[in-house]
């Protein structure tokens, strides 16, 4: 048995959210054993529009040992209980994708099957949203704390935060743990003549930074993974045709802070609305095939709640992923690894997922091919499953009022998604794979919200007594309704827990 040849240095190329999340995680877990250097330039801006997250971000912050109240103040964060979707199935229709589960238990269990059984007998017990504490609280602007047991264990939340402030917060955290930040523009990348591994990056001023393992967080440019290593790209724009985005913050128009993201389907794409403590994030994700930039800007400006605080930040992208996330001694994170539009707030999660998997598959200086392949396989599956979930929103629609929606509702979809839809439509079952990021709760909310309604139910629940089930649902609805009504507003909750920034 050979002893491994340990990694002695990590070089992170690029800052922003991806770079500083990587620096913080590696410093926390590996900082005692190796050197960590991050190279970035103030002359290169970051995209920085990712302001919404999903619940696993709490695990990342907990792994770093962050104090939640301090984090909330420093990043001007608010809580997010889910996403409110407007006009996706039809104009005028809306539904809510909650982060908590339905019913009174912290797992989905047989809730949906019991609900289908009662509905099948002709008893109208209300929509499934009546039985989601997250949904009931969110739509009233309320917030509470999730617990390990009891009804509040069915509650789930994530954050809205200012991505630029989060990166700065993690930079201070990382530098306290010994991460070295180098300011400078990268002019050249030197590769080993035999292995093709990246040996060093050379800055414009002539400085050379060597490393064993390189993390490419250089955004869409992909300085290492794309430009130096020529790693290919899988283009998914035939399934997800949106290729542009326009982001513009505005002032709050009222005192309330809604604890959810809003997503409104538009003629050529969709618009987001994300309330932070100090402003509201707005953006329009759209397809240049179906609308032009001027029309998109007009739509965006006409649908913000307050005074614009900046001019629109315009972005262009191609939805897809790198053919390899880890190539030789380079691992790509963030936009350098691929892009899936932020409809379900997965961009920051994919950074987190890539970091977690790299820690599980951390190499030595031999960079064993089997280990790299295992990492790439797991990351590919993550991207594919998230891709399918996003496609579902576009494909399961009854809209035919514009060219975009006529295209997406009739397009061929991946077999993996078609199978999920078919299994759920038959009797409300979930064909989810192991390690799948989106839970049955999420699939249920979006499938039913987008009009995919099960035609039957599990035959095993046919033995349940209807009267008992109806009484149980009535009690459940009453209990959840009263509990949601008693929760404080989000602003009061933030104030009571010392989470509001002073300015």
């Amino acid at each position: 048995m050979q002893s491994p040849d340990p990694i002695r240095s990590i070089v992170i190329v690029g800052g922003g959210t991806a770079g500083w999340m990587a620096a913080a995680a590696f410093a926390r877990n590996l900082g005692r054993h190796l050197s960590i250097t991050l190279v970035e330039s103030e002359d290169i801006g970051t995209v920085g529009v990712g302001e919404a997250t999903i619940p696993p971000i709490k695990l990342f912050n907990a792994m770093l040992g962050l104090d939640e109240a301090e984090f909330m103040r420093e990043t001007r964060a608010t809580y997010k209980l889910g996403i409110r979707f407007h006009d996706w199935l039809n104009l005028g229709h809306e539904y809510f994708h909650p982060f908590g589960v339905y019913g009174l238990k912290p797992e989905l269990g047989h809730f949906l099957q019991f609900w289908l059984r009662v509905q099948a007998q002709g008893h109208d017990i209300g929509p499934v949203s009546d039985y989601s504490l997250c949904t009931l609280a969110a739509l009233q602007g309320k917030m509470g704390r999730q617990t390990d047991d009891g009804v509040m264990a069915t509650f789930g939340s994530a954050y809205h935060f200012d991505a630029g402030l989060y990166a700065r917060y993690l930079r201070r955290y990382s530098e306290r743990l010994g991460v070295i930040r180098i300011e400078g523009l990268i002019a050249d990348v030197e590769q080993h003549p035999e292995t093709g591994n990246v040996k060093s990056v050379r800055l414009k001023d002539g400085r050379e930074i060597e490393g064993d393992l390189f993390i490419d967080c250089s955004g869409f440019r992909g300085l290492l993974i794309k430009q130096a290593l020529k790693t290919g790209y899988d283009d998914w724009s035939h399934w997800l045709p949106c290729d542009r985005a326009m982001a513009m913050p505005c002032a709050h128009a009222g005192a309330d802070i809604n604890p959810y993201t809003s997503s409104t389907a538009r003629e050529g794409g969709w618009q987001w609305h994300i309330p932070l403590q100090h402003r509201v994030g707005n953006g329009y994700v759209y397809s240049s095939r179906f609308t032009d930039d001027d029309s998109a800007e007009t739509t965006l400006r006409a649908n913000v709640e307050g005074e614009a605080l900046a001019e629109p930040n315009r972005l262009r992208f191609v939805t897809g992923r790198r053919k390899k996330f880890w190539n030789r001694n380079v691992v790509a994170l963030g936009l350098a690894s691929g892009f899936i539009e932020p409809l379900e707030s997965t961009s920051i999660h994919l950074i987190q997922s890539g970091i977690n998997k790299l820690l599980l598959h951390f190499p030595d200086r031999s960079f064993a091919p089997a280990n790299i392949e295992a990492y790439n396989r797991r990351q590919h599956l993550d991207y594919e499953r998230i891709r399918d979930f996003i496609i579902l929103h576009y494909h399961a629609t009854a809209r035919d009022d514009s060219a975009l929606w006529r295209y997406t509702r009739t397009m061929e979809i991946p077999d993996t998604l078609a199978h999920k839809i078919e299994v759920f439509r038959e009797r409300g079952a979930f064909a989810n794979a192991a390690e799948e990021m989106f839970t049955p709760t999420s699939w249920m909310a979006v499938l039913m919200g987008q009009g995919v309604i099960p035609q039957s139910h599990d035959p095993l629940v046919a033995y349940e007594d209807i009267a008992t089930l109806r009484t149980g649902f009535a009690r459940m609805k009453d209990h959840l309704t009263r509990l949601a009504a008693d929760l404080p507003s989000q602003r009061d909750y933030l104030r009571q827990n010392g989470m509001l920034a002073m300015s």
Side-chain angles (χ1 to χ4, degrees), residues 41-59:
S41 172
E42 297 287 355
D43 295 335
I44 299 176
T46 57
V47 172
V49 299
E51 298 170 321
T53 61
I54 54 178
I57 188 66
K58 291 192 161 188
L59 299 176

Side-chain angles (χ1 to χ4, degrees), residues 54-56 81-83 85 95-102 108 344 389 392-393 424 430 432 436-450:
I54 54 178
L81 301 181
I83 306 173
F85 288 95
Y95 70 95
F96 196 84
H97 169 195
F99 286 153
V101 300
Y102 295 89
L108 190 61
E344 285 282 352
F389 193 57
L392 170 64
H393 298 65
F424 185 80
F430 302 99
N432 286 24
E436 185 149 346
M437 202 283 295
F438 284 106
T439 65
T441 294
S442 293
W443 279 96
M444 171 184 159
V446 175
L447 282 161
M448 296 184 72
Q450 299 277 160

